[in-house]
Amino acid sequence: MATATDTTVLDPFLRYLWDTQATDLHLAVGTEPRVRIDGALYAMPDQPPLDEATLVQILGGLIHGKDRDTYEAERQLDFAFTWGGTARFRANAFFQLDRPALALRLIPTEIPSPEQLGLPASTAGLLTRPHGLVLVTGPTGSGKSTTLAAMINYINQTRPVHILTIEDPIEYVHPSRMALVNQREVGEDCTTFSEALRAALREDPDVVLVGEMRDLETISLTLTLAETGHLVFGTVHTNDASQTIDRVVDVFPADQQDQIRTQFSMSLAAVISQRLVPRIGGGRVAAYEVLMGTPAVTNLIRENKVRQLRNILATGQEQGMMVLEQHLASLVAAGTITYDDAVHASVHPEDIAGLAGSVRETAPTG
């Protein structure tokens, strides 16, 4: 029988995070607890630096059994837990300077809709596809997990299919609605991503979510699933669509890359890259770059002409495509974000001025 999670010592910190609408909590020995609000870290007021005994007590309430053994042996552990009926948290316990530390990310129990996230309308068609590969990319903390959860939740509510998720750890929980949803956590329900992906071929899924495409074996199996009649969603830690293509292909040995380019190009439905940008007045808003798997995109990937993808992105609005800078510029023009924040979020900041036109002179700068 699993030991229950005990958050008694942690509760005051979690309540503060919840009340201030923070997204992350950081605890480390010798420093005040800190929360992340609208992307910036702040020390919690009226809190002394944490001592080691308190942090050990907090971790003792969260980590038990074989997870405790893993944490002690590997000096780090990814896990998730539910806080009452309020929220779930994704957690990483680790050591720094030979002392314990903990980072928590809030996972709201309510999953936003694609419209609430501001996902471009062109992405709606991806959720009704019978097969193909949809990659959601961006740096850590850019909202990838929430975007994927919104997509899976939409399919769950609207399609009579079998959805299988493979995650490390499980973040958003999806009770079965119109769809049947099975969620497997690496380390709990399966040993590795690759073993779970192999088994997926025998579990009759229609839609598969791969929490992270980490290595050659995981990427290879994901591509196989996408080209064998499954709709597959995955994440890659890259900055833009073009870099995503290179990252996937470059994982493979040089003598396999031509074959992988062909396989990848034929299965790719879309790459959605995103950033979270401070919203004027508080909160954050997502800015997106969208690459659709059109015939022109397929040809460029197969022919290893990835550098030309940006031109197709920038001129492919009729196919639902756009570069990140186009979306950032439109958010500036709408008065949603500042020009300075748009430049800071951009992979190609030199393009913002031209796309925004005269917005720079009229929009707030911070």
Side-chain angles (χ1 to χ4, degrees):
M1 181 175 173
T3 306
T5 298
D6 181 0
T7 62
T8 303
V9 182
L10 188 59
D11 278 346
F13 305 132
L14 297 183
R15 284 196 201 96
Y16 182 84
L17 177 147
W18 184 261
D19 291 343
T20 58
Q21 298 184 322
T23 56
D24 301 81
L25 171 68
H26 291 267
L27 304 178
V29 175
T31 187
E32 299 88 349
R34 295 170 192 262
V35 294
R36 188 177 298 278
I37 302 174
D38 294 344
L41 272 179
Y42 301 94
M44 288 176 56
D46 305 319
Q47 286 288 342
L50 283 166
D51 58 67
E52 187 165 351
T54 299
L55 201 43
V56 167
Q57 190 176 0
I58 288 172
L59 292 171
L62 299 176
I63 306 173
H64 312 284
K66 63 181 181 180
D67 282 345
R68 166 64 63 175
D69 296 337
T70 299
Y71 172 62
E72 296 290 349
E74 299 182 5
R75 311 293 279 177
Q76 61 185 12
L77 179 72
D78 288 321
F79 61 101
F81 65 92
T82 300
W83 182 47
T86 305
R88 277 176 63 78
F89 285 89
R90 184 179 73 196
N92 181 269
F94 59 101
F95 284 87
Q96 60 91 29
L97 297 177
D98 201 33
R99 298 183 295 185
L102 180 66
L104 301 180
R105 166 70 52 84
L106 174 66
I107 307 168
T109 51
E110 296 229 352
I111 301 173
S113 68
E115 293 79 12
Q116 287 172 322
L117 290 180
L119 271 166
S122 61
T123 63
L126 300 172
L127 308 183
T128 60
R129 288 179 59 108
H131 55 79
L133 177 62
V134 178
L135 296 179
V136 178
T137 78
T140 300
S142 60
K144 298 186 296 296
S145 296
T146 303
T147 294
L148 286 167
M151 290 176 160
I152 294 298
N153 187 53
Y154 179 88
I155 296 172
N156 186 20
Q157 293 176 333
T158 59
R159 295 178 60 183
V161 294
H162 178 198
I163 300 171
L164 177 67
T165 79
I166 305 167
E167 304 171 74
D168 183 17
I170 289 172
E171 298 186 19
Y172 290 89
V173 176
H174 298 272
S176 296
R177 305 296 186 193
M178 182 178 285
L180 167 67
V181 184
N182 285 305
Q183 297 185 257
R184 306 192 70 192
E185 182 167 310
V186 175
E188 291 292 329
D189 306 308
C190 52
T191 53
T192 63
F193 274 104
S194 57
E195 287 300 320
L197 284 166
R198 281 197 196 88
L201 292 166
R202 302 185 297 274
E203 291 162 358
D204 188 35
D206 301 286
V207 178
V208 181
L209 167 65
V210 184
E212 187 176 342
M213 295 167 64
R214 296 181 172 181
D215 51 37
L216 184 152
E217 193 169 21
T218 301
I219 292 172
S220 180
L221 289 165
T222 300
L223 292 176
T224 298
L225 274 171
E227 69 175 358
T228 54
H230 304 85
L231 178 59
V232 183
F233 295 85
T235 63
V236 184
H237 289 281
T238 49
N239 288 322
D240 59 24
S242 299
Q243 190 180 93
T244 301
I245 307 302
D246 285 335
R247 176 69 57 83
V248 170
V249 173
D250 288 347
V251 165
F252 293 85
D255 62 346
Q256 296 180 26
Q257 290 182 2
D258 285 343
Q259 173 191 342
I260 293 302
R261 284 191 193 93
T262 298
Q263 185 181 6
F264 187 19
S265 69
M266 296 300 292
S267 62
L268 183 66
V271 179
I272 303 169
S273 299
Q274 63 182 81
R275 298 285 188 285
L276 289 178
V277 186
R279 182 192 295 270
I280 293 173
R284 291 189 290 176
V285 62
Y288 298 99
E289 176 169 286
V290 181
L291 174 72
M292 292 293 189
T294 62
V297 168
T298 296
N299 288 335
L300 287 180
I301 294 173
R302 189 171 56 237
E303 295 169 8
N304 194 20
K305 297 179 179 178
V306 174
R307 291 185 180 180
Q308 296 180 28
L309 284 176
R310 185 168 173 81
N311 293 332
I312 288 184
L313 278 164
T315 58
Q317 287 91 338
E318 290 186 3
Q319 289 81 37
M321 293 191 270
M322 61 183 172
V323 293
L324 178 68
E325 287 68 29
Q326 287 170 323
H327 196 197
L328 287 168
S330 69
L331 291 171
V332 173
T336 305
I337 65 175
T338 68
Y339 178 86
D340 289 348
D341 284 334
V343 169
H344 182 72
S346 173
V347 181
H348 301 277
E350 68 279 2
D351 291 349
I352 294 289
L355 289 166
S358 61
V359 172
R360 183 176 186 178
E361 287 73 33
T362 60
T365 59

